[in-house]
Amino acid sequence: GRAPAVQLQATRTEWFRKVKRIGNDKAIFDVTIPKPMGVKIQMFPQENRKGMGVSEVVDDGNCDQVNRRVIIDEEPGMWVMEGDQLLCVDGVDVERGSIDDVVNIVSNNGKDEVTLTLLRDTRRGPVKIVMMPGGKMETVRRNCRLSAAGEYAKQGVLKYGCLDGWCGTCWHRERTTNGVFKPCSDLITEDWDSVLPMVLTFRPEKVGDAAFFGNGD
């Protein structure tokens, strides 16, 4: 029937409603994080990219905990990823500001939490990969093999039955789209909108027997 497809589309739509779109590939959103936030903010090193952004989300810090509640438990709100550009802190514009400006706002806002306004390049920026059921998270650049995230989650080199995804032994299912991803061969391309975390669960499948027919068969 059509019910599963409708449900998957609704889930994806709910994710996209969490952000404000600018053009086709930029998204702006707010994330409120308890202090201490557990994020590292740095000026972008690229000459062609002005401003500052998130360079690290500290494991088990408050930001990481917010991410896990939103991504894994699917609680309301958005989540933070390395590479996100910082636009505002508690509503104060810091797009052309300094790291000292951010420190001053965070230290003197008189609250136990901080709201960051972030900008994400949803088609060319990195993608957050989550390997279930353990919930290991890795941020992966575009055009990198999905196997990089899988090996991080497994803490070792993965072994494959083939190198082109035909055998089905490495197949993973993505939670929101229900799509099949093959770490042995798949790349993280611009097709994936990074407002969505890519939440993968190991789902090996037997593709079927193959037969080879040579000349004259």
Side-chain angles (χ1 to χ4, degrees):
R2 298 176 59 87
V6 171
Q7 180 61 45
L8 288 170
Q9 182 62 47
T11 302
R12 186 160 39 200
T13 299
E14 287 170 2
W15 276 106
F16 292 158
R17 284 174 177 165
K18 294 171 182 272
V19 303
K20 177 182 178 181
R21 296 285 181 171
I22 300 179
N24 295 323
D25 56 8
K26 298 291 195 305
I28 293 179
F29 52 93
D30 291 340
V31 180
T32 299
I33 308 166
K35 294 180 181 178
M37 290 190 292
V39 295
K40 187 175 183 181
I41 305 293
Q42 289 185 305
M43 305 301 294
F44 288 119
Q46 301 93 332
E47 292 184 2
N48 62 345
R49 191 177 187 188
K50 305 298 184 183
M52 68 188 87
V54 178
S55 62
E56 181 183 358
V57 176
V58 179
D59 286 345
D60 296 324
N62 282 330
C63 183
D64 184 47
Q65 294 300 319
V66 169
N67 280 359
R68 291 183 177 279
R69 288 195 296 271
V70 172
I71 293 174
I72 296 176
D73 300 333
E74 296 188 274
E75 292 187 6
M78 261 299 282
W79 51 281
V80 179
M81 181 165 60
E82 296 86 349
D84 288 345
Q85 182 177 353
L86 182 60
L87 301 182
C88 298
V89 179
D90 284 339
V92 179
D93 187 349
V94 295
E95 187 174 359
R96 295 178 176 81
S98 66
I99 299 296
D100 287 341
D101 293 332
V102 175
V103 171
N104 182 59
I105 297 169
V106 172
S107 300
N108 298 294
N109 71 349
K111 298 185 292 185
D112 294 329
E113 60 186 24
V114 181
T115 298
L116 305 181
T117 302
L118 301 166
L119 173 69
R120 181 175 299 171
D121 188 331
T122 65
R123 295 292 180 179
R124 291 184 293 274
V127 173
K128 181 69 75 177
I129 309 293
V130 186
M131 306 298 289
M132 299 298 288
K136 287 279 190 178
M137 297 188 184
E138 178 74 345
T139 302
V140 180
R141 292 181 179 181
R142 303 284 174 163
N143 297 317
C144 284
R145 287 193 179 276
L146 187 56
S147 59
E151 290 176 355
Y152 166 80
K154 299 294 184 182
Q155 297 296 309
V157 177
L158 298 180
K159 295 181 179 180
Y160 305 107
C162 70
L163 295 177
D164 53 16
W166 281 102
C167 74
T169 59
C170 75
W171 286 12
H172 286 66
R173 285 279 179 182
E174 202 285 318
R175 183 182 65 192
T176 303
T177 64
N178 202 37
V180 172
F181 287 83
K182 305 177 288 294
C184 71
S185 59
D186 282 351
L187 301 178
I188 307 299
T189 69
E190 293 184 9
D191 292 335
W192 187 264
D193 189 311
S194 63
V195 167
L196 290 169
M198 186 181 287
V199 182
L200 300 173
T201 301
F202 186 47
R203 289 286 186 270
E205 298 183 23
K206 182 176 176 57
V207 177
D209 295 329
F212 174 76
F213 297 93
N215 292 334
D217 289 334

